[in-house]
Amino acid sequence: MNVELWLSEFRDPDYVFRASAMLLGVGQVVTTLEYLWMRSEFGDGGVYAWSVLRLARPRRHPMTERLRDALFGRAGMVALLGLRLLSAVTLVLFASVAWLATIAVVTLAAVLLACNVRLPWGMEAADDVAVHVTLGLAAYALARVFDAPSVGLYYIAAYAGLAYVTSGVTKLSEATWRSGVALGWVVNLQVFGAPWAVELLAPRPRLRQVLSWSVMLAEVSAPLAVLLPAQGIALVLVAGLAFHATLAVCMGLNTFVWAFLATYPAVLLVWTTVHDLAIHPLPKP
Amino acid sequence: MSAIGILVSVITSAALVVLFLLSVRYQFYTAQQLLQWPAPPLKLLRQFRLFSPKPIRTDVHLIARDFRQDGVPTSCREIPVIKVRHWTHALWNPGKRRSVPLMAMMVEMTAISTELGEERAAVLVATQYLILLSIVSSPAAADAQARQYLLVESFGYEPDCDAQVLFCSAVHRLDRSEVGSDRLLSL
């Protein structure tokens, strides 16, 4: 199989939109089903109890407060999550139907922003990446309705780069990460770690250090991947997938896989653009 | 391309460019600066530090205990928060929708109590305090008259490290008068 020919498919923004929307949709189906599974947490005595959280919100007009209580109470949240699930499933199944995908991605963006407001704790970095992927896709889809250009897909790639670089730079600045000690601390946590990871890494300081440096260097240099040849970028993205899959198994961060995977088609769009414009034109599929 | 198309394109693209520039700027703020400011609108900005620069080293556990009428405390019991890691969590992990926010709240509660120190009344009305209180207000023993919760830290899977109490809530009277068998905690 010609990797360069296959990757050059990603120069088509519609192709990138479909790929990204489907991956985002899968991640959102999993995330939303997890919230629905734990829906009792939105009621009294739960972690997201609106009866308590509303006390920290500014007072509004009584009508607005009634509307807010209806939307953010347990029943309202279940309805909101139902809408989120419907939008996500639509993206998975009908990403190639332009008008349906546009409605789904715009609806999903609105629901995710509402969830951002409603949930003051517990939003992971994966949830934030998913929000920004959705915003980028929504901007692209809306512009597409009018045959207008959009930076939406490029925004997704840039945001992924920002996330990786920031994470790598802040780790590099800390001696405990450079020595590999911090990695041992993280896997030792009951909430984020795993006993088998502790058994593997605790007696092996050299392995911890090698893994830490691999992650830090890979994260810091992630944006440079768009300059690599086809085999190189493919290898980098497969390594990225393997990294997130490992975190999912060891740390239970299952939705990171889908959130970051959803940015990869946009990264490939940037890669094709860079190669067409500055390095050498890619073959036409 | 229609005029409205150009308008949509310009507005959405400009909004994303601004959002990206703000996101880049946001990465440079210190934790102290962020603590002093209100959360960004719609929480669209965040720092991607991901367990860095210094990751947390300890798990925090939520412990509750009751007090009988004679004032004698019952033994402590842990409110389950953390689930032991299983390979299926790589695909399906709903438990983290409870454990992650709870852990964040408990860490923040400890910081609030340290920061406010003597201002006990301010601690008692912190949202984190009230959420944790609402979580521990599940049915109590029949002779329980009051309840208290504690936040206790442990060093993860290290078995030989002693757990330490980080925070002790006030003792809250159990009010059973309002809804029969449901027990409400009053401040």
Side-chain angles (χ1 to χ4, degrees):
Chain A
M1 186 175 127
N2 187 336
V3 178
E4 194 170 77
L5 192 63
W6 179 66
L7 292 183
S8 64
E9 299 254 18
F10 288 89
R11 81 152 53 86
D12 173 13
D14 277 346
Y15 186 82
V16 170
F17 174 84
R18 288 195 298 274
S20 187
M22 285 176 72
L23 292 166
L24 172 76
V26 174
Q28 285 305 301
V29 167
V30 174
T31 305
T32 311
L33 287 175
E34 285 181 348
Y35 274 122
L36 285 170
W37 186 267
M38 304 294 284
R39 61 191 176 279
S40 61
E41 298 295 337
F42 290 100
D44 289 346
V47 182
Y48 310 112
W50 181 241
S51 55
V52 179
L53 291 177
R54 71 192 295 276
L55 301 174
R57 300 300 165 105
R59 297 304 303 262
R60 300 278 185 228
H61 187 275
M63 185 74 97
T64 313
E65 287 201 354
R66 271 201 295 277
L67 188 68
R68 192 172 64 177
D69 290 346
L71 184 65
F72 287 162
R74 185 170 177 233
M77 277 308 290
V78 170
L80 205 59
L81 289 170
L83 186 60
R84 181 169 160 175
L85 185 62
L86 184 66
S87 307
V89 169
T90 305
L91 285 181
V92 175
L93 298 178
F94 302 108
S96 54
V97 183
W99 68 271
L100 203 50
T102 302
I103 293 172
V105 80
V106 171
T107 306
L108 185 60
V111 173
L112 289 181
L113 292 178
C115 288
N116 260 10
V117 173
R118 171 65 173 84
L119 307 173
W121 288 279
M123 301 290 279
E124 301 172 326
D127 296 317
D128 287 289
V129 170
V131 168
H132 288 270
V133 170
T134 312
L135 290 176
L137 291 178
Y140 173 80
L142 284 173
R144 185 174 61 176
V145 171
F146 303 99
D147 282 330
S150 169
V151 300
L153 300 177
Y154 294 95
Y155 173 77
I156 295 170
Y159 201 81
L162 176 68
Y164 281 128
V165 170
T166 307
S167 176
V169 168
T170 49
K171 284 184 180 72
L172 268 174
S173 68
E174 172 60 38
T176 53
W177 272 105
R178 294 196 301 273
S179 63
V181 169
L183 182 62
W185 291 349
V186 172
V187 296
N188 187 48
L189 290 172
Q190 288 180 14
V191 67
F192 285 119
W196 65 81
V198 177
E199 276 178 34
L200 176 73
L201 294 175
R204 297 179 177 85
R206 185 61 70 190
L207 177 61
R208 284 202 307 266
Q209 197 169 19
V210 168
L211 289 175
S212 296
W213 274 97
S214 307
V215 169
M216 291 186 296
L217 292 179
E219 286 184 331
V220 168
S221 56
L224 299 177
V226 296
L227 301 175
L228 295 173
Q231 286 79 2
I233 183 94
L235 198 66
V236 166
L237 295 185
V238 169
L241 174 60
F243 168 63
H244 289 296
T246 307
L247 295 189
V249 173
C250 293
M251 303 177 73
L253 300 174
N254 56 332
T255 48
F256 273 70
V257 180
W258 299 106
F260 279 93
L261 209 56
T263 67
Y264 288 2
V267 171
L268 287 171
L269 174 68
V270 174
W271 177 80
T272 58
T273 308
V274 167
H275 277 255
D276 280 342
L277 294 178
I279 298 178
H280 74 93
L282 294 168
K284 302 281 180 200
Chain B
M1 198 191 326
S2 63
I4 191 164
I6 295 171
L7 194 67
V8 169
S9 176
V10 168
I11 290 174
T12 55
S13 296
L16 290 181
V17 169
V18 170
L19 186 54
F20 182 72
L21 294 175
L22 288 173
S23 294
V24 173
R25 179 73 188 93
Y26 200 72
Q27 308 306 315
F28 291 95
Y29 293 125
T30 63
Q32 283 75 19
Q33 284 174 311
L34 294 181
L35 272 178
Q36 289 163 4
W37 298 335
L42 299 173
K43 287 200 277 169
L44 278 174
L45 305 177
R46 82 161 286 146
Q47 289 190 323
F48 282 94
R49 302 214 159 160
L50 308 178
F51 301 99
S52 59
K54 224 176 198 110
I56 52 167
R57 285 190 66 182
T58 55
D59 290 300
V60 185
H61 303 266
L62 181 58
I63 309 288
R65 66 176 174 182
D66 295 333
F67 288 83
R68 295 200 199 94
Q69 197 155 21
D70 54 9
V72 176
T74 61
S75 55
C76 293
R77 65 187 171 84
E78 182 171 358
I79 308 291
V81 175
I82 300 167
K83 294 226 162 118
V84 177
R85 184 72 54 240
H86 192 270
W87 70 267
T88 53
H89 291 167
L91 303 169
W92 173 249
N93 189 9
K96 76 175 175 186
R97 303 290 166 193
R98 176 179 162 84
S99 63
V100 171
L102 257 179
M103 201 57 63
M105 266 183 241
M106 292 191 288
V107 169
E108 286 179 24
M109 190 63 244
T110 309
I112 289 170
S113 111
T114 308
E115 192 180 329
L116 294 178
E118 298 302 307
E119 296 175 59
R120 191 69 174 167
V123 174
L124 295 184
V125 293
T127 307
Q128 294 87 338
Y129 185 95
L130 296 173
I131 287 276
L132 293 170
L133 183 62
S134 124
I135 287 170
V136 299
S137 61
S138 52
D143 57 347
Q145 296 298 311
R147 181 167 290 180
Q148 180 182 39
Y149 70 83
L150 303 93
L151 303 182
V152 175
E153 77 171 348
S154 69
F155 280 81
Y157 291 104
E158 288 173 35
D160 49 350
C161 287
D162 289 336
Q164 290 197 352
V165 175
L166 296 173
F167 174 75
C168 238
S169 81
V171 177
H172 294 271
R173 185 171 56 83
L174 286 164
D175 181 355
R176 291 158 177 167
S177 59
E178 291 191 24
V179 281
S181 58
D182 284 335
R183 289 153 182 185
L184 304 175
L185 291 169
S186 60
L187 285 169

